[in-house]
């Protein structure tokens, strides 16, 4: 869920489901305000369920990859080569990190100031401020490759999502 939330994938699926509902069965304009609020909550719940249904294949993949086996305790953290290979080579996480709509990668690309983009990525993904070393390195990287800025930001976001700190702390 952390990856789906951080990459705005979950929010985008919900927004798409709500837009589809609004298109196919719009709310009547003469609905009293108290009824409108009830209908909007019901539609949001319906959109949440539909989004989850569409994401279920990804959820199952992550659950199978990261859960402990039947009869095994999950009190201790464990990491396996399969997990690392899935994040590094599976394609899902890399694709979700790509700039799209109003996700974090796109917001960072649209932030003209490289330090601001760095802070946005670190704070948005790791829930903390960038330290001096990260700020210097990432800002330098973004400033030396302005023509490849979208690709660099995509790689940085994916790298943070694939990193140990994201997996353990957010």
């Amino acid at each position: 869920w952390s990856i789906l939330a951080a990459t705005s994938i979950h929010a985008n699926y919900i927004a798409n489901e709500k837009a589809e509902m609004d298109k196919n069965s719009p709310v009547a304009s003469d609905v009293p305000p108290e009824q409108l609020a009830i209908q909007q909550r019901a539609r949001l719940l319906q959109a949440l369920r539909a989004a989850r249904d569409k994401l279920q294949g990804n959820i199952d993949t992550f659950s199978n990859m990261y859960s402990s086996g039947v009869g095994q305790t999950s009190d201790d953290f464990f990491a396996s080569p399969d997990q690392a290979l899935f994040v590094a080579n599976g394609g899902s996480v890399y694709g979700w990190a790509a700039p799209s709509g109003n996700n974090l990668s796109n917001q960072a690309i649209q932030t003209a100031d490289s330090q601001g983009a760095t802070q946005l990525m670190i704070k948005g993904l790791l829930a903390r401020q960038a330290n001096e070393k990260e700020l210097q390195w990432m800002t330098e990287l973004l400033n030396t490759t302005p023509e490849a800025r979208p690709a660099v930001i995509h790689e940085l976001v994916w790298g943070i999502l694939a990193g140990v700190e994201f997996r353990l702390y957010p």
Side-chain angles (χ1 to χ4, degrees), residues 96-112:
W96 294 338
S100 174
N102 195 32
N103 72 356
L104 183 74
S105 296
N106 224 11
Q107 290 176 28
I109 289 167
Q110 294 172 8
T111 303

Side-chain angles (χ1 to χ4, degrees), residues 145-169:
T145 56
E147 69 286 346
R149 183 181 174 92
V152 170
I153 287 174
H154 180 195
E155 291 286 333
L156 287 169
V157 168
W158 170 71
I160 294 168
L161 290 171
V164 172
E165 186 175 354
F166 182 85
R167 191 173 57 219
L168 293 178
Y169 297 115

Side-chain angles (χ1 to χ4, degrees), residues 16-164:
N16 289 341
E17 291 300 321
K18 284 170 64 177
E20 189 70 25
M21 278 189 279
D22 291 342
K23 178 183 165 191
N24 292 335
S25 59
V27 176
S29 59
D30 60 345
V31 174
E34 58 277 351
Q35 285 291 6
L36 181 62
I38 292 169
Q39 283 186 11
Q40 287 175 333
R41 281 194 298 270
R43 291 168 78 86
L44 176 60
L45 184 57
Q46 186 179 353
L48 285 166
R49 287 181 181 144
R52 181 183 167 90
D53 289 346
K54 287 189 177 174
L55 288 166
Q56 193 61 50
N58 294 304
I59 294 167
D60 290 345
T61 300
F62 271 86
S63 294
N64 292 333
M65 186 70 59
Y66 288 94
S67 67
S68 51
V70 175
Q72 294 178 339
T73 182
S74 60
D75 295 340
D76 296 324
F77 173 77
F78 67 94
S80 70
D82 287 342
Q83 293 168 351
L85 289 168
F86 172 75
V87 173
N89 302 319
S92 297
V93 177
Y94 186 76
W96 294 338
S100 174
N102 195 32
N103 72 356
L104 183 74
S105 296
N106 224 11
Q107 290 176 28
I109 289 167
Q110 294 172 8
T111 303
D113 172 36
S114 294
Q115 280 191 352
T118 298
Q119 289 288 9
L120 178 68
M121 286 184 278
I122 296 293
K123 192 168 188 176
L125 296 170
L126 300 176
R128 65 170 176 79
Q129 296 294 324
N131 64 40
E132 282 300 314
K133 210 174 195 180
E134 292 165 334
L135 192 60
Q136 179 184 357
W137 179 74
M138 290 172 71
T139 300
E140 202 172 287
L141 186 62
L142 292 171
N143 286 337
T144 57
T145 56
E147 69 286 346
R149 183 181 174 92
V152 170
I153 287 174
H154 180 195
E155 291 286 333
L156 287 169
V157 168
W158 170 71
I160 294 168
L161 290 171
V164 172

